[in-house]
Coordinates of all heavy atoms in Angstrom, one line a residue:
R233 N -114.7 61.2 -60.7 CA -114.6 60.1 -59.7 C -115.7 60.2 -58.6 O -116.3 61.3 -58.5 CB -113.2 60.3 -59.0 CG -113.1 61.4 -58.0 CD -111.7 61.4 -57.4 NE -111.5 62.6 -56.6 CZ -111.7 62.7 -55.3 NH1 -112.1 61.7 -54.6 NH2 -111.4 63.8 -54.7
T234 N -115.9 59.1 -58.0 CA -116.9 59.1 -56.9 C -116.4 59.4 -55.6 O -115.3 58.8 -55.2 CB -117.6 57.7 -56.9 OG1 -118.1 57.4 -58.2 CG2 -118.7 57.6 -55.9
I235 N -117.0 60.4 -54.9 CA -116.6 60.7 -53.5 C -117.2 59.8 -52.6 O -118.4 59.4 -52.6 CB -117.0 62.2 -53.2 CG1 -116.4 63.1 -54.2 CG2 -116.6 62.5 -51.8 CD1 -114.9 63.2 -54.3
R236 N -116.4 59.2 -51.6 CA -117.0 58.3 -50.6 C -118.0 59.0 -49.7 O -117.7 60.1 -49.3 CB -115.8 57.7 -49.8 CG -114.9 56.9 -50.5 CD -113.6 56.6 -49.8 NE -112.8 55.6 -50.4 CZ -111.9 55.9 -51.4 NH1 -111.9 57.2 -51.9 NH2 -111.2 55.0 -52.0
E237 N -119.0 58.3 -49.3 CA -120.1 58.8 -48.5 C -119.7 58.7 -47.0 O -119.0 57.8 -46.6 CB -121.4 58.1 -48.7 CG -122.0 58.4 -50.1 CD -123.3 57.7 -50.3 OE1 -123.9 57.2 -49.3 OE2 -123.8 57.7 -51.4
N238 N -120.2 59.7 -46.2 CA -120.0 59.6 -44.7 C -118.6 59.4 -44.3 O -118.3 58.6 -43.4 CB -120.9 58.6 -44.1 CG -122.4 58.8 -44.5 OD1 -122.9 59.9 -44.3 ND2 -123.0 57.8 -44.8
P239 N -117.6 60.2 -44.8 CA -116.3 60.0 -44.4 C -115.9 60.5 -43.1 O -116.5 61.4 -42.5 CB -115.4 60.7 -45.5 CG -116.4 61.9 -45.8 CD -117.8 61.3 -45.7
V240 N -114.8 60.0 -42.6 CA -114.1 60.6 -41.4 C -113.1 61.5 -42.0 O -112.3 61.2 -42.8 CB -113.4 59.5 -40.6 CG1 -112.5 60.1 -39.6 CG2 -114.3 58.5 -40.1
L241 N -113.3 62.8 -41.7 CA -112.3 63.8 -42.2 C -111.1 63.9 -41.3 O -111.3 64.2 -40.1 CB -113.0 65.2 -42.3 CG -112.1 66.4 -42.6 CD1 -111.5 66.2 -44.0 CD2 -112.9 67.7 -42.6
V242 N -110.0 63.7 -41.8 CA -108.7 63.9 -41.0 C -108.0 65.1 -41.5 O -107.5 65.2 -42.6 CB -107.8 62.7 -41.1 CG1 -106.5 62.8 -40.2 CG2 -108.5 61.4 -40.7
I243 N -108.1 66.2 -40.7 CA -107.4 67.4 -41.0 C -106.0 67.3 -40.6 O -105.6 67.0 -39.5 CB -108.1 68.6 -40.3 CG1 -109.5 68.8 -40.7 CG2 -107.3 69.9 -40.5 CD1 -110.4 69.8 -40.0
G244 N -105.1 67.5 -41.6 CA -103.7 67.2 -41.3 C -103.3 65.8 -41.5 O -102.4 65.3 -40.8
G245 N -104.0 65.1 -42.4 CA -103.7 63.7 -42.6 C -102.3 63.3 -43.1 O -102.0 62.2 -43.1
E246 N -101.6 64.3 -43.6 CA -100.3 64.1 -44.2 C -99.2 64.1 -43.1 O -98.0 63.8 -43.3 CB -99.9 65.0 -45.3 CG -99.4 66.4 -45.0 CD -100.6 67.4 -44.6 OE1 -101.7 66.9 -44.5 OE2 -100.3 68.6 -44.6
T247 N -99.6 64.6 -41.8 CA -98.7 64.6 -40.7 C -98.5 63.2 -40.2 O -99.3 62.3 -40.4 CB -99.2 65.5 -39.6 OG1 -100.4 65.0 -39.0 CG2 -99.5 66.9 -40.1
P248 N -97.4 63.0 -39.4 CA -97.2 61.6 -38.9 C -98.4 61.1 -38.1 O -98.9 60.0 -38.2 CB -95.9 61.7 -38.1 CG -95.2 62.8 -38.7 CD -96.2 63.8 -39.2
F249 N -98.9 61.9 -37.2 CA -100.1 61.5 -36.3 C -101.3 61.4 -37.2 O -102.1 60.4 -37.1 CB -100.3 62.6 -35.3 CG -101.4 62.3 -34.3 CD1 -101.4 61.0 -33.6 CD2 -102.5 63.1 -34.2 CE1 -102.4 60.7 -32.8 CE2 -103.5 62.8 -33.3 CZ -103.5 61.6 -32.6
G250 N -101.5 62.2 -38.2 CA -102.6 62.2 -39.0 C -102.6 60.9 -39.9 O -103.7 60.3 -40.2
Q251 N -101.4 60.5 -40.4 CA -101.2 59.3 -41.2 C -101.7 58.1 -40.4 O -102.4 57.3 -40.9 CB -99.8 59.2 -41.6 CG -99.3 60.2 -42.6 CD -97.8 60.0 -42.9 OE1 -97.2 59.0 -42.7 NE2 -97.2 61.1 -43.4
W252 N -101.2 58.1 -39.2 CA -101.6 56.9 -38.3 C -103.1 56.8 -38.1 O -103.6 55.8 -38.2 CB -100.8 57.0 -37.0 CG -101.1 55.9 -36.0 CD1 -100.6 54.7 -36.0 CD2 -102.1 56.0 -35.0 NE1 -101.1 53.9 -35.0 CE2 -102.1 54.7 -34.3 CE3 -103.0 56.9 -34.5 CZ2 -102.9 54.3 -33.3 CZ3 -103.8 56.5 -33.4 CH2 -103.7 55.3 -32.8
I253 N -103.7 58.0 -37.8 CA -105.2 58.0 -37.6 C -105.9 57.6 -38.9 O -106.8 56.7 -38.8 CB -105.6 59.4 -37.2 CG1 -105.2 59.7 -35.8 CG2 -107.1 59.5 -37.3 CD1 -105.4 61.2 -35.4
A254 N -105.5 58.1 -40.0 CA -106.1 57.8 -41.3 C -106.0 56.3 -41.6 O -107.0 55.6 -42.0 CB -105.6 58.7 -42.4
L255 N -104.8 55.8 -41.4 CA -104.6 54.3 -41.7 C -105.4 53.4 -40.7 O -105.9 52.4 -41.2 CB -103.1 54.0 -41.6 CG -102.2 54.7 -42.8 CD1 -100.7 54.5 -42.5 CD2 -102.6 54.2 -44.1
E256 N -105.4 53.8 -39.5 CA -106.2 53.0 -38.5 C -107.7 53.1 -38.9 O -108.4 52.1 -38.8 CB -106.0 53.5 -37.1 CG -104.7 53.2 -36.5 CD -104.5 51.7 -36.4 OE1 -105.4 51.0 -35.9 OE2 -103.4 51.2 -36.7
A257 N -108.2 54.2 -39.3 CA -109.6 54.3 -39.8 C -109.9 53.4 -41.0 O -110.9 52.8 -41.1 CB -110.0 55.8 -40.1
M258 N -108.9 53.5 -42.0 CA -109.0 52.6 -43.1 C -109.0 51.1 -42.8 O -109.8 50.4 -43.3 CB -107.9 52.9 -44.1 CG -108.2 54.2 -44.9 SD -107.0 54.4 -46.2 CE -106.0 55.8 -45.6
K259 N -108.2 50.7 -41.8 CA -108.2 49.3 -41.3 C -109.5 48.9 -40.8 O -109.9 47.8 -40.8 CB -107.2 49.1 -40.2 CG -105.7 49.1 -40.7 CD -104.8 48.9 -39.5 CE -103.4 49.1 -39.9 NZ -102.5 49.0 -38.7
R260 N -110.3 49.9 -40.3 CA -111.7 49.6 -39.7 C -112.7 49.8 -40.8 O -113.9 49.9 -40.4 CB -111.9 50.5 -38.5 CG -111.0 50.1 -37.3 CD -111.0 51.1 -36.2 NE -110.3 50.6 -35.1 CZ -109.0 50.5 -34.9 NH1 -108.2 50.8 -35.9 NH2 -108.4 50.2 -33.7
D261 N -112.3 49.9 -42.1 CA -113.3 50.0 -43.2 C -114.1 51.3 -43.1 O -115.2 51.3 -43.6 CB -114.2 48.8 -43.3 CG -113.4 47.5 -43.7 OD1 -112.5 47.7 -44.5 OD2 -113.8 46.5 -43.2
L262 N -113.5 52.3 -42.6 CA -114.2 53.6 -42.6 C -113.8 54.4 -43.8 O -112.6 54.2 -44.3 CB -113.8 54.4 -41.3 CG -114.3 53.9 -40.0 CD1 -113.7 54.7 -38.8 CD2 -115.8 53.8 -39.9
N263 N -114.6 55.2 -44.4 CA -114.3 56.0 -45.5 C -113.5 57.2 -45.0 O -113.9 57.8 -44.0 CB -115.5 56.5 -46.2 CG -116.2 55.4 -46.9 OD1 -115.6 54.4 -47.4 ND2 -117.5 55.5 -47.1
V264 N -112.4 57.5 -45.6 CA -111.4 58.5 -45.1 C -111.3 59.6 -46.0 O -111.2 59.4 -47.3 CB -110.1 57.9 -44.8 CG1 -109.1 59.0 -44.3 CG2 -110.2 56.9 -43.6
R265 N -111.4 60.9 -45.6 CA -111.1 62.0 -46.4 C -110.0 62.8 -45.7 O -110.0 63.0 -44.5 CB -112.3 62.9 -46.4 CG -112.2 64.2 -47.2 CD -113.4 65.0 -47.3 NE -114.5 64.3 -47.9 CZ -115.8 64.7 -47.9 NH1 -116.2 65.7 -47.3 NH2 -116.7 64.0 -48.6
I266 N -109.0 63.2 -46.5 CA -107.8 63.9 -45.9 C -107.9 65.4 -46.4 O -108.1 65.7 -47.6 CB -106.5 63.3 -46.4 CG1 -106.5 61.8 -46.2 CG2 -105.3 64.0 -46.0 CD1 -106.4 61.4 -44.8
L267 N -107.8 66.3 -45.5 CA -107.6 67.7 -45.8 C -106.1 68.0 -45.6 O -105.6 68.0 -44.5 CB -108.4 68.6 -45.0 CG -108.2 70.1 -45.2 CD1 -108.6 70.5 -46.7 CD2 -108.9 71.0 -44.3
A268 N -105.3 68.1 -46.7 CA -103.9 68.2 -46.6 C -103.4 69.5 -47.2 O -103.9 69.9 -48.3 CB -103.3 67.1 -47.3
S269 N -102.5 70.2 -46.6 CA -101.9 71.4 -47.1 C -100.7 71.0 -48.1 O -100.3 71.8 -48.9 CB -101.3 72.3 -46.0 OG -100.4 71.6 -45.2
D270 N -100.3 69.7 -48.1 CA -99.3 69.2 -49.0 C -99.9 68.0 -49.8 O -99.8 66.9 -49.3 CB -98.1 68.8 -48.2 CG -96.9 68.4 -49.1 OD1 -97.2 68.1 -50.3 OD2 -95.8 68.3 -48.6
F271 N -100.6 68.3 -50.9 CA -101.3 67.4 -51.6 C -100.4 66.3 -52.2 O -100.7 65.1 -52.1 CB -102.1 68.1 -52.8 CG -103.0 67.1 -53.5 CD1 -104.3 67.0 -53.1 CD2 -102.6 66.5 -54.6 CE1 -105.2 66.1 -53.8 CE2 -103.4 65.6 -55.3 CZ -104.7 65.5 -54.9
D272 N -99.2 66.6 -52.7 CA -98.3 65.6 -53.2 C -97.8 64.7 -52.2 O -97.8 63.4 -52.4 CB -97.1 66.3 -53.8 CG -97.5 67.1 -55.1 OD1 -98.5 66.8 -55.7 OD2 -96.7 68.0 -55.4
N273 N -97.6 65.1 -51.0 CA -97.1 64.2 -49.9 C -98.3 63.3 -49.5 O -98.1 62.1 -49.2 CB -96.7 65.0 -48.7 CG -96.1 64.1 -47.6 OD1 -95.3 63.2 -47.9 ND2 -96.4 64.3 -46.4
A274 N -99.5 63.9 -49.4 CA -100.7 63.0 -49.1 C -100.9 61.9 -50.1 O -101.2 60.8 -49.8 CB -101.9 63.9 -49.0
E275 N -100.7 62.2 -51.4 CA -100.8 61.2 -52.4 C -99.6 60.2 -52.3 O -99.9 59.0 -52.6 CB -100.8 61.8 -53.8 CG -102.2 62.4 -54.2 CD -102.3 62.5 -55.7 OE1 -101.3 62.9 -56.4 OE2 -103.4 62.3 -56.2
F276 N -98.5 60.7 -51.9 CA -97.4 59.7 -51.7 C -97.7 58.7 -50.6 O -97.4 57.6 -50.7 CB -96.1 60.5 -51.4 CG -94.9 59.6 -51.1 CD1 -94.2 59.0 -52.1 CD2 -94.5 59.4 -49.8 CE1 -93.1 58.2 -51.8 CE2 -93.4 58.6 -49.5 CZ -92.7 58.0 -50.5
V277 N -98.3 59.2 -49.5 CA -98.6 58.4 -48.4 C -99.8 57.4 -48.6 O -99.8 56.3 -48.4 CB -98.8 59.2 -47.1 CG1 -99.4 58.4 -46.0 CG2 -97.6 59.9 -46.7
F278 N -100.9 58.0 -49.2 CA -102.2 57.3 -49.3 C -102.5 56.8 -50.7 O -103.5 56.1 -50.9 CB -103.3 58.2 -48.9 CG -103.2 58.6 -47.4 CD1 -102.8 59.8 -47.0 CD2 -103.4 57.6 -46.4 CE1 -102.6 60.2 -45.7 CE2 -103.2 57.9 -45.1 CZ -102.8 59.2 -44.7
G279 N -101.6 57.1 -51.7 CA -101.9 56.7 -53.1 C -102.6 57.8 -53.8 O -103.0 58.8 -53.2
T280 N -102.8 57.6 -55.1 CA -103.5 58.6 -55.9 C -104.9 59.0 -55.3 O -105.5 58.1 -54.7 CB -103.7 58.0 -57.3 OG1 -102.4 57.7 -57.8 CG2 -104.4 59.1 -58.2
D281 N -105.2 60.3 -55.4 CA -106.4 60.8 -54.9 C -107.5 59.8 -55.3 O -107.7 59.6 -56.5 CB -106.7 62.2 -55.3 CG -108.0 62.8 -54.8 OD1 -108.5 62.3 -53.8 OD2 -108.6 63.6 -55.5
G282 N -108.4 59.3 -54.4 CA -109.5 58.5 -54.6 C -109.2 57.0 -54.6 O -110.1 56.2 -54.5
A283 N -107.9 56.6 -54.6 CA -107.6 55.2 -54.6 C -107.9 54.5 -53.3 O -108.5 53.5 -53.2 CB -106.1 55.0 -55.0
N284 N -107.4 55.2 -52.2 CA -107.6 54.7 -50.9 C -108.3 55.6 -50.0 O -109.0 55.2 -48.9 CB -106.3 54.3 -50.2 CG -105.5 53.3 -51.1 OD1 -106.0 52.2 -51.2 ND2 -104.4 53.6 -51.5
A285 N -108.3 56.9 -50.3 CA -108.9 58.0 -49.5 C -109.2 59.1 -50.5 O -108.5 59.3 -51.5 CB -108.0 58.4 -48.4
D286 N -110.1 59.9 -50.1 CA -110.4 61.2 -50.8 C -109.4 62.3 -50.3 O -109.5 62.5 -49.1 CB -111.8 61.6 -50.7 CG -112.7 60.6 -51.4 OD1 -112.4 60.0 -52.4 OD2 -113.8 60.3 -50.8
I287 N -108.6 62.8 -51.1 CA -107.7 63.9 -50.6 C -108.1 65.2 -51.2 O -108.3 65.4 -52.4 CB -106.2 63.5 -51.2 CG1 -105.8 62.1 -50.7 CG2 -105.2 64.6 -50.7 CD1 -104.5 61.6 -51.3
Y288 N -108.3 66.1 -50.2 CA -108.6 67.5 -50.5 C -107.5 68.4 -50.2 O -106.9 68.3 -49.1 CB -109.8 67.9 -49.7 CG -111.1 67.3 -50.1 CD1 -111.3 66.0 -50.3 CD2 -112.2 68.2 -50.4 CE1 -112.6 65.4 -50.6 CE2 -113.4 67.6 -50.8 CZ -113.6 66.3 -50.9 OH -114.8 65.7 -51.3
F289 N -107.1 69.2 -51.1 CA -106.0 70.2 -50.8 C -106.6 71.4 -50.1 O -107.7 71.9 -50.5 CB -105.4 70.7 -52.1 CG -104.4 71.9 -51.9 CD1 -103.2 71.7 -51.3 CD2 -104.8 73.2 -52.2 CE1 -102.3 72.7 -51.1 CE2 -104.0 74.2 -51.9 CZ -102.7 74.0 -51.4
G290 N -106.0 71.8 -49.1 CA -106.6 73.0 -48.3 C -105.9 73.2 -47.1 O -105.0 72.5 -46.6
D291 N -106.4 74.4 -46.4 CA -105.8 74.8 -45.2 C -107.0 75.1 -44.3 O -108.0 75.8 -44.8 CB -104.9 76.0 -45.4 CG -104.2 76.4 -44.2 OD1 -104.8 77.1 -43.4 OD2 -103.0 76.1 -44.1
V292 N -106.9 74.9 -43.0 CA -108.0 75.2 -42.1 C -108.3 76.7 -42.0 O -109.4 77.0 -41.6 CB -107.9 74.5 -40.7 CG1 -107.8 73.0 -40.8 CG2 -106.6 75.0 -40.1
S293 N -107.4 77.5 -42.3 CA -107.6 78.9 -42.2 C -108.3 79.5 -43.4 O -108.8 80.6 -43.4 CB -106.2 79.6 -42.0 OG -105.4 79.5 -43.2
N294 N -108.5 78.6 -44.4 CA -109.3 79.1 -45.7 C -110.7 78.5 -45.5 O -110.9 77.3 -45.7 CB -108.6 78.6 -46.9 CG -109.3 79.0 -48.1 OD1 -110.5 78.8 -48.3 ND2 -108.6 79.6 -49.1
L295 N -111.6 79.3 -45.2 CA -113.0 78.8 -44.9 C -113.6 78.1 -46.0 O -114.4 77.1 -45.8 CB -113.9 79.9 -44.4 CG -113.4 80.5 -43.0 CD1 -114.4 81.6 -42.6 CD2 -113.3 79.4 -42.0
D296 N -113.4 78.5 -47.3 CA -114.0 77.8 -48.4 C -113.4 76.4 -48.6 O -114.1 75.5 -48.8 CB -113.7 78.6 -49.7 CG -114.5 79.9 -49.8 OD1 -115.6 80.0 -49.2 OD2 -114.1 80.9 -50.5
Q297 N -112.1 76.3 -48.4 CA -111.5 75.0 -48.5 C -111.9 74.1 -47.4 O -112.2 72.9 -47.6 CB -110.0 75.1 -48.6 CG -109.4 75.8 -49.8 CD -107.9 76.1 -49.7 OE1 -107.3 76.1 -48.6 NE2 -107.3 76.3 -50.9
L298 N -112.1 74.7 -46.2 CA -112.5 73.9 -45.0 C -113.9 73.4 -45.3 O -114.3 72.3 -45.0 CB -112.3 74.7 -43.8 CG -112.7 74.0 -42.5 CD1 -111.9 72.7 -42.2 CD2 -112.5 74.9 -41.3
D299 N -114.8 74.4 -45.7 CA -116.2 74.0 -45.9 C -116.3 72.9 -46.9 O -117.2 72.0 -46.7 CB -116.9 75.3 -46.3 CG -118.4 75.1 -46.4 OD1 -119.0 74.6 -45.4 OD2 -119.0 75.5 -47.4
N300 N -115.6 73.0 -48.0 CA -115.6 71.9 -49.0 C -115.2 70.6 -48.4 O -115.9 69.6 -48.7 CB -114.7 72.4 -50.1 CG -114.7 71.4 -51.3 OD1 -115.9 71.0 -51.7 ND2 -113.6 71.0 -51.9
A301 N -114.2 70.5 -47.6 CA -113.8 69.3 -47.0 C -114.8 68.7 -46.0 O -115.0 67.5 -45.9 CB -112.4 69.5 -46.4
L302 N -115.4 69.6 -45.3 CA -116.4 69.2 -44.3 C -117.7 68.7 -44.9 O -118.4 68.0 -44.2 CB -116.7 70.4 -43.4 CG -115.7 70.9 -42.4 CD1 -116.0 72.2 -41.8 CD2 -115.4 69.8 -41.3
D303 N -118.0 69.1 -46.1 CA -119.3 68.7 -46.7 C -119.5 67.1 -46.6 O -118.8 66.4 -47.3 CB -119.4 69.2 -48.1 CG -120.8 69.0 -48.7 OD1 -121.8 69.1 -48.0 OD2 -120.8 68.7 -50.0
G304 N -120.5 66.8 -45.9 CA -120.9 65.3 -45.8 C -120.1 64.5 -44.8 O -120.3 63.3 -44.7
A305 N -119.1 65.1 -44.1 CA -118.2 64.3 -43.2 C -119.1 63.9 -42.0 O -119.9 64.7 -41.4 CB -117.0 65.1 -42.7
Q306 N -118.9 62.7 -41.5 CA -119.7 62.2 -40.4 C -118.9 62.5 -39.1 O -119.5 62.7 -38.0 CB -119.9 60.7 -40.4 CG -118.7 59.8 -40.3 CD -119.0 58.4 -40.2 OE1 -120.1 58.0 -39.8 NE2 -118.1 57.5 -40.5
S307 N -117.6 62.7 -39.2 CA -116.8 63.0 -38.0 C -115.5 63.7 -38.5 O -115.1 63.6 -39.7 CB -116.5 61.8 -37.1 OG -115.8 60.9 -37.9
I308 N -114.9 64.4 -37.6 CA -113.7 65.2 -37.9 C -112.6 64.9 -36.8 O -112.9 65.0 -35.6 CB -114.0 66.8 -37.8 CG1 -115.2 67.1 -38.8 CG2 -112.8 67.6 -38.2 CD1 -115.9 68.4 -38.4
I309 N -111.4 64.7 -37.3 CA -110.3 64.6 -36.4 C -109.3 65.6 -36.9 O -108.8 65.6 -38.0 CB -109.7 63.2 -36.6 CG1 -110.8 62.1 -36.2 CG2 -108.4 63.0 -35.7 CD1 -110.4 60.7 -36.4
Y310 N -108.8 66.4 -35.9 CA -107.8 67.4 -36.2 C -106.4 66.9 -35.8 O -106.2 66.7 -34.6 CB -108.2 68.7 -35.4 CG -107.3 69.9 -35.8 CD1 -107.6 70.7 -36.8 CD2 -106.1 70.2 -35.1 CE1 -106.8 71.8 -37.2 CE2 -105.3 71.2 -35.4 CZ -105.7 72.1 -36.4 OH -104.9 73.1 -36.8
A311 N -105.6 66.7 -36.8 CA -104.3 66.2 -36.5 C -103.2 67.1 -37.1 O -102.0 66.7 -37.2 CB -104.2 64.8 -37.1
A312 N -103.5 68.3 -37.5 CA -102.6 69.2 -38.1 C -101.6 69.7 -37.0 O -101.9 69.8 -35.8 CB -103.2 70.4 -38.7
E313 N -100.4 70.0 -37.4 CA -99.3 70.4 -36.5 C -99.3 71.9 -36.5 O -99.6 72.6 -37.3 CB -98.0 69.9 -36.9 CG -98.0 68.4 -36.9 CD -96.7 67.8 -37.4 OE1 -95.9 68.4 -38.1 OE2 -96.4 66.6 -36.9

């Protein structure tokens, strides 16, 4: 699959606040990347990975997962609880 360029990374995008932020960003035609600790819930909210947003499974405390999600991001929004 093709990864969207220059995304807005929403850390905790599967949380209620993160969902709102991600959806608002999508309404503004921004590319959205979600770093979610609950991948299945993120896909439930945003659709299959890649359909509406790029969903990355991970946790901010895991530096490799965080670094992977940060790669190429133009901005970062922290919405994890």
Side-chain angles (χ1 to χ4, degrees):
R233 75 179 169 95
T234 302
I235 303 296
R236 292 168 176 80
E237 294 183 9
N238 302 315
V240 173
L241 172 62
V242 182
I243 298 173
E246 80 279 14
T247 67
F249 182 56
Q251 289 174 25
W252 181 81
I253 289 171
L255 292 171
E256 287 297 316
M258 284 187 248
K259 285 182 192 174
R260 290 167 173 74
D261 292 324
L262 296 171
N263 292 330
V264 174
R265 180 179 296 167
I266 307 294
L267 178 63
S269 59
D270 186 340
F271 188 87
D272 291 336
N273 186 46
E275 280 200 322
F276 177 77
V277 172
F278 298 106
T280 303
D281 179 28
N284 300 300
D286 296 321
I287 303 172
Y288 286 56
F289 172 75
D291 188 283
V292 293
S293 65
N294 183 308
L295 294 181
D296 289 333
Q297 292 173 343
L298 181 60
D299 188 50
N300 186 42
L302 288 169
D303 186 35
Q306 70 170 340
S307 59
I308 304 159
I309 300 169
Y310 187 87
E313 296 177 338

